[in-house]
Each structure stands twice: as C-alpha cells, then as structure tokens.
Amino acid sequence: MPAPEYVNPEKFKVVKVLYNHNDFSVALGTWTPSNEQIIGMRWNDGEDGKGYPKAFGNPQWFVVSNDIAKNTLSGLLTSAHISNTQYLDILETLKSL
C-alpha cells in the first residue's frame, strides 16, 4: 500500500500528512492549477494495495470543501492517535482555511 505522502496525483500534491491511522489519512495539499491549499482524505488499504479512492488504477485523494475540512480537522484535535506535532500542524492548517 502506498504511504499517503507518496500519493501525489496530477492535480493534488501533498504538502503535509496531518493524520494517518488505521489505514485512513488526511492531508493538506495544493490543488492545480490554482495552487489553493485544500484538504484531501483517503483509505490506504485495499486488496490491490492502492487504497481508495483511485482513478484508472492510480491512488487518489478525495478533496473536501473547506467547511467540511474545518469540522474534520477540529474533530481530529481530540484524537488520541495524533502526535503533538500533528496537533500543531492541524491548528496551523485550521487558521489557513
């Protein structure tokens, strides 16, 4: 299965993985062509090792709107599965959305 930081399809480039636990990841990335910073999510498991979502067999990120991203990131702040660094990264990301 690809590590989430290496899933970089053409339009979404990972800047930082904010959460990665139990095969589920949330990342801050940039969206081409606008270079806008956005949040993407994905499952890293799967029988073929490419996780979900994928397009034409290639691993992808599911991009969410800022409103949903803010709620998701706020919820992650209460997770026992994030490090202090991830906590600070999530807070910083929330400020920028």
Side-chain angles (χ1 to χ4, degrees):
M1 98 184 83
E5 55 271 14
Y6 299 117
V7 177
N8 282 294
E10 185 177 327
K11 291 192 177 194
F12 183 85
K13 299 298 177 199
V14 173
V15 172
K16 187 176 291 187
V17 176
L18 301 171
Y19 179 81
N20 187 27
H21 181 70
N22 283 346
D23 294 326
F24 183 75
S25 299
V26 177
L28 172 66
T30 56
W31 185 257
T32 302
S34 68
N35 285 328
E36 174 186 4
Q37 288 199 329
I38 56 173
I39 298 298
M41 295 187 253
R42 71 180 321 276
W43 291 99
N44 300 305
D45 61 353
E47 291 180 16
D48 64 359
K50 295 185 180 178
Y52 183 81
K54 60 186 168 225
F56 305 104
N58 298 308
Q60 302 288 315
W61 289 91
F62 175 76
V63 175
V64 296
S65 72
N66 282 349
D67 290 340
I68 293 170
K70 288 176 186 177
N71 290 330
T72 301
L73 293 177
S74 294
L76 288 177
L77 290 172
T78 64
S79 173
H81 304 290
I82 62 171
S83 67
N84 290 339
T85 300
Q86 288 171 314
Y87 187 92
L88 294 173
D89 288 342
I90 290 169
L91 281 178
E92 189 64 31
T93 301
L94 277 166
K95 289 182 201 177
S96 70
L97 294 180

